[in-house]
């Protein structure tokens, strides 16, 4: 910066605040949804909450794979759009998505076949392991949606389409996940599995919203 005599400008500062504020709002609202569902799970009892927490840790593991591809998508798409190469940006997005699908498929098979073994590492109580196996079956579906939507989110963020990602996250995590979890857990009487169906509903909504936005191509016309 010293050698090239780069100086900060007000315009650059405005762009940074605009992007950062949207992402900050998104993260705060998402945490509200996460906290609401965690409270519901805690009220189901110690055994159910223990099984739930292990499931959340497994989901965090699969998120890490999607997050890695998201970072790649943000960097590559941002670079391509900066060079005004829209076709390359779309190509990078599609490639990241294809890699993500392969990773998700492998994880889904592992979770489906080894769910019981995984819970046996944490618990010896048969009732918790039985709940864990049911949770892992739901996570098989969740991971397919989760990795895909996380990568789509990265594509949109790389293009600066952060207002849309904030809206999508708010609708799915802050609204859909708690409401669906409550209705399925308490109203439908499904217990802790109902909460996980709510998590699945959240992932499905995010997947639909982000995939539709990506395919529309409107994100390529965003000006930062």
């Amino acid at each position: 910066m010293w050698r090239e005599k780069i100086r900060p400008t007000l315009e650059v500062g405005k762009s940074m605040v605009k992007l950062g504020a949207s992402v900050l709002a998104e993260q705060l609202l998402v945490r509200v949804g996460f906290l609401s569902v965690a409270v519901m799970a805690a009220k189901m009892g110690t055994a159910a909450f223990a099984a739930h927490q292990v499931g959340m840790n497994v989901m965090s593991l699969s998120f890490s794979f999607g997050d890695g591809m998201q970072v790649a998508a943000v960097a590559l798409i941002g670079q391509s759009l900066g060079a005004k190469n829209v076709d390359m940006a779309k190509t990078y997005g599609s490639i990241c998505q294809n890699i993500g699908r392969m990773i998700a498929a492998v994880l889904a098979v592992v979770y489906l076949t080894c769910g019981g073994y995984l819970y046996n590492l944490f618990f010896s109580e048969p009732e918790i392991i039985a709940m864990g196996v049911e949770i892992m079956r739901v996570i098989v579906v969740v991971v397919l949606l989760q990795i895909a939507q996380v990568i789509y989110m990265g594509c949109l963020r790389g293009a600066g389409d952060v207002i849309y990602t904030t809206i999508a996250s708010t609708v799915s995590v802050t609204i859909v996940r708690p409401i669906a979890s409550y209705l399925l857990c308490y109203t439908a009487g499904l217990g802790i599995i109902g909460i996980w169906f709510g998590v699945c509903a959240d992932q499905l909504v995010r997947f639909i919203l982000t995939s539709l936005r990506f395919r529309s191509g409107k994100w390529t016309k965003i000006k930062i």
Side-chain angles (χ1 to χ4, degrees):
M1 291 179 67
W2 179 265
R3 185 174 61 252
E4 300 296 333
K5 296 182 179 180
I6 297 173
R7 297 288 185 273
T9 64
L10 184 60
E11 193 63 31
V12 172
K14 286 180 179 178
S15 296
M16 293 174 67
V17 170
K18 179 182 176 181
L19 294 174
S22 295
V23 175
L24 173 62
E26 176 186 345
Q27 291 302 312
L28 289 175
L29 291 168
V30 162
R31 293 302 179 275
V32 171
F34 288 161
L35 180 61
S36 300
V37 174
V39 170
M40 292 182 209
K43 289 182 177 180
M44 296 304 297
T46 304
F49 188 63
H52 173 77
Q53 284 301 104
V54 172
M56 291 300 294
N57 288 334
V58 171
M59 215 172 89
S60 296
L61 175 63
S62 59
F63 172 80
S64 299
F65 289 96
D67 194 39
M69 295 309 303
Q70 175 183 223
V71 171
V74 169
L76 295 171
I77 287 176
Q79 184 182 50
S80 298
L81 292 178
K84 302 189 183 304
N85 192 337
V86 174
D87 290 337
M88 184 57 70
K90 291 180 178 178
T91 298
Y92 277 134
S94 298
I95 291 173
C96 288
Q97 196 59 247
N98 289 335
I99 294 174
R101 288 192 187 102
M102 289 187 288
I103 294 172
V106 172
L107 289 174
V109 172
V110 172
Y111 293 162
L112 182 62
T113 57
C114 302
Y117 298 108
L118 180 61
Y119 269 82
N120 270 301
L121 295 175
F122 293 89
F123 309 106
S124 58
E125 297 85 353
E127 66 275 15
I128 300 180
I129 295 173
M131 281 188 285
V133 170
E134 293 297 320
I135 289 172
M136 292 302 294
R137 289 173 181 167
V138 180
I139 291 179
V140 168
V141 179
V142 168
V143 69
L144 298 174
L145 298 171
Q146 180 192 43
I147 291 180
Q149 64 87 5
V150 166
I151 295 173
Y152 278 134
M153 282 282 189
C155 295
L156 300 179
R157 289 191 182 109
D161 198 4
V162 292
I163 294 178
Y164 184 87
T165 59
T166 299
I167 294 172
S169 294
T170 301
V171 169
S172 61
V173 185
T174 313
I175 299 175
V176 172
R177 181 185 285 205
I179 292 176
S181 295
Y182 182 87
L183 292 175
L184 293 167
C185 176
Y186 297 109
T187 306
L190 296 178
I192 196 68
I193 298 302
I195 289 178
W196 277 92
F197 283 145
V199 172
C200 191
D202 153 37
Q203 298 292 339
L204 177 61
V205 170
R206 266 190 283 180
F207 171 75
I208 292 172
L209 292 176
T210 54
S211 62
L212 288 176
R213 184 70 167 184
F214 180 81
R215 292 171 186 173
S216 72
K218 292 180 180 179
W219 54 278
T220 63
K221 301 176 177 63
I222 301 293
K223 292 184 178 181
I224 300 177

